[in-house]
Amino acid sequence: MKVIIRDNAKQGSLWAAHYIAAKINEKAKVSDKPFVLGLCTGSTPIDTYAELIRMVKAGEVSFKNVVSFNMDEYVGLPVDHPESYHSFMHRYLFDQIDEPAENIHILDGNAPDTEAECAAYEEAIVKAGGFDLFLGGVGEDGHIAFNEPFSSLSSRTRVVTLTQDTREVNARFFGGDPEAVPAQALTVGVATVLSSKEVVILAFGSKKARALKDAIEGPMSHYCTLSGLQNHPAGTIVCDEASIGEVKVNSYRYFKAVEAAENR
């Protein structure tokens, strides 16, 4: 596991955007196969998406040969609802870049058979060639996607029931009312994320500090599903000084030293 530490969330977001763009460009130089990218929602990736939009408009990267899969969607929320993840992704990324519409994949929370929708999503990821890179965030309790605490680390795309804590955290998007947040969601599993060739997780702010401590220094456990990243050969956490504050001083120094050595 690598941990990239920046002074603040803005700097971390820019690092992630430039890293993703570089990976897309690297593959484009050696292969005509599409770059398969996993994407997340929420407030955390907004600045990363804004920088990717700038880079596309500046001609520094293109999404014309990118195939993307989003990690989750609420069950029963209309696609055009302002807080659906369909709406979020089009508002903050897809409507402003050159990714073809047919390359965009988001789980259908209104599918008549949600279990079949999840199975088909897994099949589509495999058919696309598997993830080259998965960009994710982490919840305050250490969950990735909607893989709440005690989700199996071998889980795949499925229907999940959201915890009250998650509904309360997300209530800020629904007028402050946790009961307005859908009780269920479709989500890629922990194993779905970890099957990616690379995983980049964004974590900013002091509210994510306990989650990072558990994921980095704690045991690999379904209690903190992000901890599954410990077993990934190319997992990276991008964080800021506030979110890394609870790890041991020597852990902090180690990650800073590793990055400094790699950049010499």
Side-chain angles (χ1 to χ4, degrees):
M1 179 191 294
K2 289 184 180 180
V3 179
I4 302 298
I5 305 166
R6 291 294 179 266
D7 289 344
N8 52 56
K10 183 71 173 182
Q11 291 179 10
S13 298
L14 294 178
W15 184 95
H18 286 256
Y19 187 81
I20 293 167
K23 290 296 180 177
I24 293 172
N25 288 337
E26 284 175 14
K27 185 170 183 177
K29 290 178 181 178
V30 299
S31 174
D32 58 0
K33 292 182 179 179
F35 189 92
V36 184
L37 179 64
L39 295 171
C40 61
T41 55
S43 56
T44 299
I46 289 177
D47 282 342
T48 294
Y49 292 158
E51 179 65 4
L52 285 170
I53 291 167
R54 185 201 67 75
M55 296 180 79
V56 169
K57 292 181 177 179
E60 297 170 23
V61 69
S62 173
F63 277 66
K64 288 181 180 178
N65 200 28
V66 171
V67 173
S68 64
F69 290 84
N70 263 76
M71 59 167 49
D72 44 29
E73 179 57 286
Y74 291 114
V75 169
L77 201 65
V79 170
D80 59 357
H81 188 286
E83 298 307 329
S84 78
Y85 292 154
H86 282 74
S87 293
F88 176 97
M89 290 305 303
H90 282 277
R91 182 164 64 246
Y92 287 107
L93 184 64
F94 295 145
D95 287 351
Q96 302 176 70
I97 60 173
D98 57 352
E99 183 177 357
E102 61 269 22
N103 288 5
I104 295 169
H105 300 82
I106 306 177
L107 284 156
D108 182 1
N110 295 289
D113 185 338
T114 51
E115 291 187 4
E117 169 69 9
C118 292
Y121 206 69
E122 282 282 341
E123 291 176 7
I125 293 168
V126 172
K127 186 177 179 180
F131 292 115
D132 289 293
L133 187 150
F134 202 107
L135 176 70
V138 59
E140 294 176 18
D141 57 7
H143 73 260
I144 51 175
F146 273 133
N147 294 288
E148 306 279 29
F150 307 112
S151 294
S152 170
L153 297 184
S154 63
S155 58
R156 293 285 178 176
T157 305
R158 68 204 188 283
V159 183
V160 295
T161 298
L162 304 183
T163 65
Q164 186 62 27
D165 284 349
T166 292
R167 296 178 77 191
E168 288 176 359
V169 168
N170 288 353
R172 67 189 189 277
F173 302 117
F174 291 83
D177 179 12
E179 294 304 311
V181 180
Q184 289 189 311
L186 306 184
T187 182
V188 296
V190 180
T192 311
V193 175
L194 298 181
S195 67
S196 177
K197 296 179 182 70
E198 290 192 65
V199 179
V200 174
I201 299 294
L202 306 178
F204 305 128
S206 60
K207 290 183 178 180
K208 306 297 176 72
R210 181 177 65 84
L212 287 198
K213 178 178 175 57
D214 289 344
I216 295 169
E217 297 179 336
M220 190 167 67
S221 166
H222 62 184
Y223 177 72
C224 172
T225 53
L226 177 59
S227 68
L229 199 64
Q230 294 175 15
N231 207 36
H232 196 280
T236 300
I237 293 174
V238 184
C239 60
D240 60 1
E241 292 287 348
S243 62
I244 200 66
E246 290 195 16
V247 303
K248 296 174 183 176
V249 172
N250 282 345
S251 298
Y252 176 94
R253 289 174 176 168
Y254 169 80
F255 292 121
K256 295 290 281 189
V258 167
E259 185 185 4
E262 290 182 346
N263 290 335
R264 285 175 187 163

